[in-house]
Amino acid sequence: VEITSKIDRIAVVGGGGWGSALAIVASQNFKVVKIFTRDAEVAEEINTKRTNECFIPGAVFPQNIIAVTEGKDLNDCTFLINTVPSQFIKHHYTEKQINLENKYIINGSKGIDTELLSTISKVFKKFYDVPKHRFAILVGPSHAEEVVKGLPTTVVCASQNMLFALFVQENLCTPAFRVYTSQDVIGCEIGSSIKNVIAIAAGINDGLGLGDNTKAALITRGLAEITRLGVAMGASPQTFSGLSGLGDLVVTCNSIHSRNRGLGERIGKGEKTSDILKNQKIVVEGVETAKAIFNLSQKIDIEMPIVEQVYRIIFEDKSPSLALQDLMARESKSEWY
Amino acid sequence: VEITSKIDRIAVVGGGGWGSALAIVASQNFKVVKIFTRDAEVAEEINTKRTNECFIPGAVFPQNIIAVTEGKDLNDCTFLINTVPSQFIKHHYTEKQINLENKYIINGSKGIDTELLSTISKVFKKFYDVPKHRFAILVGPSHAEEVVKGLPTTVVCASQNMLFALFVQENLCTPAFRVYTSQDVIGCEIGSSIKNVIAIAAGINDGLGLGDNTKAALITRGLAEITRLGVAMGASPQTFSGLSGLGDLVVTCNSIHSRNRGLGERIGKGEKTSDILKNQKIVVEGVETAKAIFNLSQKIDIEMPIVEQVYRIIFEDKSPSLALQDLMARESKSEWY
């Protein structure tokens, strides 16, 4: 299938909040939108009640969205939007028998595979042989709750295949959902993943009762360390000043919707991470990302003080206030070193 | 006076919230801190009750802070921290007979002179003949209300005279108030001024009931246009990713303390700017800055769509929702162009 031919359908894989929001956006431009979920009850609810109350309360699914639970149901879709959480991608498509041969993947999940220590584009390449020219990432400051309300949202679609990025731009854009294009896949992947770790730090700041000044410092110094790692991995520094870097970081660190910031807030108030995550149905991406990025930064010798402190709080039970103190006590120096 | 000799005193010019906060910070390291105010009642209150309830409720002034109202009272201070609002600087020091000969100026005010269309360093040069090597700027994400509570705060001090920046760093740093150094004066001036205009836009976003996604887009695209102007004026692009750019922008756009964001919120809810500003004692820097920067951007032909829309809302009574719509409707394109 050539991507220039008339395409009337698209599939979203993953029936969570973000998958639902992207399906609702896509339903404005495509004739048919399939949404794949492993949860038969969710599929049933979407198909009959046109809602998904557990994952995105209040959202209404138009009639041209069809929820499916079998891999073969996606055979007629060439374009698949992935919203399966990052740690599950490598098994999910095999287990669910979703055939990825000749498919184009638009990835909407933000994270780093903790085993491979790699970004999602590499997971699709290694496990499903999806080549770079059939992979795109769609990220930016976009809380699902606001997207489904039709509040103005901007995102960036990055692919090494510029035609693919332009196709996504043209076909997912609506008056309230603007898609910019980029070719810096690794930059968009790094920025949109690590921001979840900085958001945990921002939440800890809130939980400890520290103020806006400290949070702004965490965001600023956080973006500096994200950029440092990204550039070492081949990204363009400019990408981190854009929607997938700064934009996504700002929204996540300040939003009441963010699970990562929310987790941090509870940690800051004294709860243990393991207790909070017990029995939780929703994945908090920043936790695994903190581990992956801490290990990666050690391996390639990049200084990432905020990621390191978040890692030590979550995985080594370091006291949050001591960790913040250690960050502030770093030697005064010139802003850029 | 050599800046390396033992300095036991410093003066703050301006008795508002930020001047008060900086005096309280300085009082931890200097033996004597003078604070100059044109308001005899404020001086009296600081000297007797050790408070300044009108401008910074709750703050307590240590005994080594002395409020003064005569220019000659500052003759024994070589270092002056300016917090007089940007539009008043060019007359204030003459009117109040504050002698600036051989003085070192640390500027803490954020704005652009609307007549000269120039930054504060140029105002001090043109009107008071303060040379570049005796000028520094001290900016960053630092709400006065939080600084006086001792909440951790980071700022940057920029001067073309690196020894002067290092002097400020060494003498104003406290455990909760960290000063980084920089040599990019124009970059710090541009970033910290224009952020007030973007903050008005962020407030309008809040007033209109739009969400975090839109605000993150405004912040991201806002920083891009600030950087575009700054680089055209000789700043280093990196400065805008730092505390005086991104950091200060983020804190102002999200904070309940910000007057600029607050003004925007009321505009977004339908009030007219002129009605809001009538009878207001406190200066909202972003209003004049919007005019100055809009004119400057037209003059040197730099595209600044957000500043332009804020200008049209404030000075031409354009409808806020139409302005936001015009911003969103701009042609989809690649993220960097």
Side-chain angles (χ1 to χ4, degrees):
Chain A
V1 178
E2 288 298 310
I3 63 170
T4 47
S5 67
K6 186 67 197 155
I7 306 289
D8 73 343
R9 61 193 56 219
I10 194 166
V12 175
V13 183
W18 187 221
S20 298
L22 285 174
I24 291 169
V25 167
S27 72
Q28 296 176 56
N29 289 330
F30 289 90
K31 211 168 138 190
V32 176
V33 178
K34 294 193 174 181
I35 182 165
F36 179 95
T37 165
R38 58 188 176 142
D39 188 331
E41 282 176 40
V42 168
E44 171 84 8
E45 186 190 339
I46 292 174
N47 287 334
T48 57
K49 299 193 190 154
R50 316 308 305 168
T51 58
N52 183 357
E53 285 303 318
C54 172
F55 290 102
I56 189 136
V60 177
F61 290 67
Q63 293 294 337
N64 59 336
I65 297 176
I66 305 165
V68 299
T69 55
E70 303 268 341
K72 64 175 165 38
D73 293 329
L74 302 184
N75 285 347
D76 61 349
C77 294
T78 304
F79 294 88
L80 266 53
I81 299 174
N82 174 69
T83 64
V84 174
S86 51
Q87 305 311 316
F88 304 125
I89 295 170
K90 60 178 173 281
H91 302 307
H92 189 266
Y93 289 83
T94 310
E95 277 172 23
K96 297 297 171 188
Q97 297 178 294
I98 301 172
N99 184 357
L100 292 185
E101 211 178 323
N102 292 322
K103 304 282 181 181
Y104 285 79
I105 299 294
I106 302 153
N107 176 47
S109 275
K110 298 165 180 178
I112 301 286
D113 187 278
T114 43
E115 276 173 54
L116 297 180
L117 295 189
S118 79
T119 56
I120 308 303
S121 56
K122 296 213 176 57
V123 175
F124 274 102
K125 176 79 185 86
K126 188 177 162 84
F127 286 88
Y128 304 115
D129 207 25
V130 174
K132 286 177 181 176
H133 75 274
R134 287 202 268 106
F135 182 88
I137 173 168
L138 184 75
V139 284
S142 47
H143 278 296
E145 294 81 352
E146 297 188 355
V147 170
V148 298
K149 284 185 192 151
L151 293 173
T153 299
T154 53
V155 295
V156 56
C157 179
S159 177
Q160 292 197 9
N161 177 354
M162 204 56 197
L163 286 179
F164 185 16
L166 287 168
F167 170 86
V168 174
Q169 177 176 60
E170 210 177 297
N171 288 282
L172 280 186
C173 255
T174 73
F177 192 82
R178 312 295 300 172
V179 182
Y180 290 82
T181 59
S182 162
Q183 297 193 63
D184 188 3
V185 176
I186 183 78
C188 288
E189 288 187 302
I190 290 289
S192 59
S193 302
I194 311 185
K195 60 103 193 179
N196 284 329
V197 184
I198 309 299
I200 295 177
I204 292 173
N205 178 80
D206 295 342
L208 288 170
L210 300 172
D212 295 333
N213 295 353
T214 323
K215 194 194 274 191
L218 280 172
I219 291 174
T220 307
R221 304 308 302 168
L223 190 63
E225 67 184 66
I226 293 173
T227 306
R228 207 149 53 220
L229 181 78
V231 169
M233 293 177 74
S236 157
Q238 197 174 35
T239 299
F240 301 98
S241 302
L243 295 167
S244 65
L246 163 60
D248 207 355
L249 180 65
V250 164
V251 84
T252 309
C253 289
N254 285 304
S255 182
I256 48 160
H257 301 303
S258 166
R259 300 168 203 161
N260 293 284
R261 199 206 58 79
L263 173 73
E265 190 168 358
R266 293 175 67 179
I267 294 172
K269 286 187 172 150
E271 290 184 68
K272 290 249 170 301
T273 315
S274 48
D275 293 339
I276 304 169
L277 295 180
K278 220 182 289 166
N279 308 322
Q280 188 145 333
K281 202 171 175 182
I282 288 170
V283 174
V284 182
E285 286 277 15
V287 172
E288 292 300 314
T289 305
K291 191 203 281 178
I293 294 297
F294 174 70
N295 288 328
L296 181 61
S297 69
Q298 296 278 311
K299 192 173 138 191
I300 64 177
D301 199 20
I302 300 283
E303 209 183 355
M304 300 191 78
I306 301 175
V307 169
E308 178 178 342
Q309 294 301 330
V310 171
Y311 172 83
R312 299 208 185 281
I313 291 167
I314 294 180
F315 294 100
E316 297 177 354
D317 272 339
K318 181 168 180 174
S319 135
S321 59
L322 186 63
L324 256 283
Q325 231 169 288
D326 285 353
L327 278 176
M328 284 301 283
R330 286 164 60 84
E331 207 188 334
S332 285
K333 39 189 161 189
S334 137
E335 191 170 20
W336 304 103
Y337 55 90
Chain B
V1 179
E2 288 298 309
I3 63 169
T4 46
S5 67
K6 187 67 197 154
I7 307 288
D8 72 343
R9 61 192 56 218
I10 194 165
V12 175
V13 184
W18 187 220
S20 298
L22 285 174
I24 292 169
V25 167
S27 72
Q28 295 176 57
N29 289 330
F30 289 90
K31 210 169 139 190
V32 174
V33 178
K34 294 194 173 179
I35 182 164
F36 179 95
T37 165
R38 55 185 179 147
D39 188 331
E41 281 177 40
V42 168
E44 171 84 8
E45 186 190 338
I46 292 174
N47 286 334
T48 56
K49 298 194 189 152
R50 317 307 306 169
T51 60
N52 184 356
E53 284 304 317
C54 172
F55 290 103
I56 189 137
V60 176
F61 290 66
Q63 293 293 337
N64 59 334
I65 296 177
I66 305 165
V68 299
T69 56
E70 304 270 340
K72 64 174 165 42
D73 293 329
L74 303 183
N75 285 347
D76 62 348
C77 294
T78 304
F79 294 88
L80 265 53
I81 299 174
N82 174 70
T83 64
V84 174
S86 51
Q87 305 311 318
F88 304 127
I89 294 169
K90 59 178 174 282
H91 302 307
H92 190 266
Y93 288 83
T94 310
E95 277 172 23
K96 297 297 170 187
Q97 298 179 291
I98 300 171
N99 183 358
L100 291 186
E101 210 178 321
N102 292 322
K103 304 281 181 180
Y104 285 80
I105 299 292
I106 301 153
N107 176 47
S109 274
K110 298 165 180 178
I112 301 286
D113 187 277
T114 44
E115 277 173 53
L116 298 181
L117 296 189
S118 78
T119 56
I120 307 304
S121 56
K122 296 214 176 55
V123 176
F124 274 102
K125 177 79 185 85
K126 188 177 163 81
F127 287 88
Y128 304 115
D129 205 25
V130 175
K132 287 177 180 175
H133 75 275
R134 286 201 268 107
F135 182 88
I137 173 170
L138 186 73
V139 283
S142 47
H143 279 297
E145 295 81 352
E146 297 189 354
V147 170
V148 298
K149 284 185 192 151
L151 292 173
T153 299
T154 54
V155 295
V156 56
C157 178
S159 177
Q160 291 195 13
N161 177 354
M162 205 55 198
L163 285 179
F164 185 17
L166 287 168
F167 170 85
V168 174
Q169 177 175 63
E170 210 177 297
N171 288 282
L172 280 186
C173 255
T174 72
F177 192 81
R178 311 296 300 172
V179 182
Y180 289 83
T181 59
S182 164
Q183 296 194 62
D184 188 2
V185 176
I186 184 76
C188 288
E189 288 187 303
I190 290 288
S192 59
S193 302
I194 311 183
K195 60 106 194 180
N196 284 329
V197 184
I198 309 300
I200 294 177
I204 292 172
N205 177 81
D206 295 343
L208 288 170
L210 300 172
D212 296 332
N213 296 353
T214 323
K215 193 193 274 190
L218 281 171
I219 292 174
T220 307
R221 303 308 303 167
L223 190 64
E225 67 184 66
I226 293 173
T227 306
R228 208 148 54 220
L229 182 78
V231 168
M233 295 179 72
S236 156
Q238 196 174 35
T239 300
F240 301 98
S241 302
L243 294 167
S244 65
L246 163 60
D248 208 354
L249 180 65
V250 165
V251 84
T252 309
C253 289
N254 286 304
S255 183
I256 48 158
H257 302 304
S258 167
R259 299 169 204 163
N260 293 285
R261 197 205 60 78
L263 173 74
E265 188 167 358
R266 292 175 67 178
I267 295 172
K269 286 186 174 151
E271 290 185 68
K272 291 245 172 300
T273 315
S274 48
D275 294 338
I276 303 171
L277 294 181
K278 220 182 292 170
N279 307 322
Q280 188 145 333
K281 202 172 174 181
I282 287 170
V283 174
V284 182
E285 286 276 17
V287 172
E288 292 300 314
T289 305
K291 191 202 281 176
I293 294 296
F294 174 70
N295 288 328
L296 181 62
S297 68
Q298 297 279 310
K299 193 172 138 191
I300 63 176
D301 199 20
I302 300 283
E303 209 183 357
M304 300 191 78
I306 300 175
V307 169
E308 178 178 342
Q309 294 302 332
V310 172
Y311 172 83
R312 299 206 185 283
I313 292 168
I314 293 181
F315 294 99
E316 298 177 353
D317 272 338
K318 180 166 181 176
S319 133
S321 59
L322 186 63
L324 255 282
Q325 232 169 287
D326 285 353
L327 278 177
M328 283 303 281
R330 287 163 58 83
E331 204 187 337
S332 284
K333 39 189 161 186
S334 137
E335 189 169 21
W336 304 103
Y337 54 92

